[in-house]
Amino acid sequence: MDKMRKSTSVILWVLIFSFGVLWMLADTNMFDVIQQGPRTLGSVNGESISLEEYNNRLQYYTQQYSERTGNSMTPEVRAQYEQQSWNDLVNSRLLQDKMDDLGIHVTDQEVVDMITGPNPDPLIRQNFANEDGTIDRVALQSWAEAPENTQLLISIEQQMRQKRQQQKMNNYLQSSMDVSDYEVEQYYIRNNTRADVSFVRFPYADVSNSEISVSEDDLREYYNNNQDKYERKESYRITYVSFDKTPTKEDTTRTFEEMNRLQSEFVTAENDSLFFNRYQSDMEYSVKTANKDEIRELYQPVLDVSVGKVTDVIQDGGRLFLLKKLDETANEVTFTVFGRDITADPIATIDARAETADDFSFYAQEDGFKGEAERRDLEISEAFATKGNNFISGIGQSQQIMRFLESAYEGQISDPLELNEQFVVIKVNEITEAGVEPFEEVEDQIRTVVTNNKRKQQIVTNVEDLISQNSDLKSIAEAAGKEVMTVESLAKSDATIEGAGREPKVVGAIFGLNEGEQSPAIEGTSAAFVVQLDELYEADLDNLTADERQRIRQQLRRQKNQAFMNTWIEQLKKEADIEDNRAQLLRG
């Protein structure tokens, strides 16, 4: 105590100084800046991506999904579209930068021509076309000059400018990736050149492990020469508990009661199609006609009701049915099927499970994940995930989980994550950084590879000895106790051989032979081969029609463009400075 009293003056001066610094920082709004965190969702090469444009992009996907499916997005589907929205915005920035570098610009006159020119954009033509297909120039001009349309016109001008610039970019790329006549002809030849072949197959499995000697030096040498094969991405070991979202007995009973109530209304419905829409059938409206003797067992109850009547509720797995008989002859019956899936009640089941999961997550963070799970008698499961791969062992595909893991720290416990069939709460047990896996962790894998390689070498050596001692394929087969196998009409473009499996290297060697020629030992995927080209049927370019030539050209151009764009975008991303603030701004 005496020591503390002697230090009191020093402590007071430290406190006074500290309060002074805090007061000064408060005057500069420093704390507001710190609390605000990042102000934009991210940036690409210094150009910001706003939360507003991200939300607009996501809203576009949400509307498209709703119009296409008639349903709202599940949390997992929404997570996928959130990632897609981000990718779209990043890619658009990268492409815009590249177009600027290449000098691909759009003049004001080009934009005007797309709106009011002699050949306007399809968007304009769609809204201002006369019945004869011509443009109503008076209506278009009046619309463009109306003050109330100013903001809309600005938006359309921006859209036209971006569209025109993208067209120029596409033309630039396509011009540099044209498909030559030679490429078209080679494609045609590969797909239409065929051969009859004979071969003897020597499986690598014929050599037993006891015949192979693998030393520690062999393993180390392979590891040192092939470390690129053992590079790993960042990975995560997690434990989790799940809360089932599948329908309960109460949900099944509820759906039965709803279907029973609909039975009488289905009978009196004058328009069955409208009935399906009004009461949200999970089956599209259609009329079925079936032979009475051939009608499937599920639908047989319709035979026992009168025309215009509806069957009792029928259950098949997780769906309930009502069948309405529309017509009947001596041999056939016509009917329609109304179906409802048994789904979990949004409040009594889904919300209750969500609340339970949220309650568990809260107390697990307070009292410990394992202890809280044991207290609630919940099963703890283990899983493994790798960055860049949305598949999580034991759980399945989940963009949400991967998004959480990629910004998580060891020991962190997640809020409940809603998947299609369950809620999960996750604890991150271990995060392994990207890098080359240690030799000790991959030693067993390497031993298998090295053993298989030595087995291959042994088989190939044995086959070469057989070839040197025997003059033809038949004698080689007899000396080895094998049989000569044949395949007819093997295509040059094939990757598999009937009776031998996937062997692209062997197929390539076959078409490098002359007719009647026998090959040396070929090291295939699962076996060594000796092959003989019995007869060759070469493709005749005179049979390549103009239509077929054009179809092949378009197909090759699509393949080339897709391969180039995927590689190009990834390369642009590697070279770009991309800032991603989603983890801070989109939490919760």
Side-chain angles (χ1 to χ4, degrees), residues 244-257:
D244 195 6
K245 285 170 54 183
T246 55
T248 63
K249 291 182 180 179
E250 291 77 13
D251 293 322
T252 301
T253 300
R254 170 182 51 80
T255 311
F256 255 107
E257 291 173 351

Side-chain angles (χ1 to χ4, degrees), residues 255-267:
T255 311
F256 255 107
E257 291 173 351
E258 291 175 358
M259 292 288 279
N260 280 325
R261 288 195 296 270
L262 290 176
Q263 184 185 27
S264 59
E265 294 192 43
F266 197 10
V267 171

Side-chain angles (χ1 to χ4, degrees), residues 181 267 286 349 419 462 502:
D181 288 342
V267 171
S286 65
T349 302
L419 309 183
N462 295 344
R502 182 174 175 79

Side-chain angles (χ1 to χ4, degrees), residues 26 28 30 60 110 148 216 223 246 307 317 355 510 568 584:
T28 63
M30 176 64 72
Y60 165 78
E110 286 179 282
E148 64 270 19
E216 178 78 10
Y223 176 75
T246 55
V307 173
E355 186 176 346
I510 288 171
W568 191 47
Q584 296 100 302

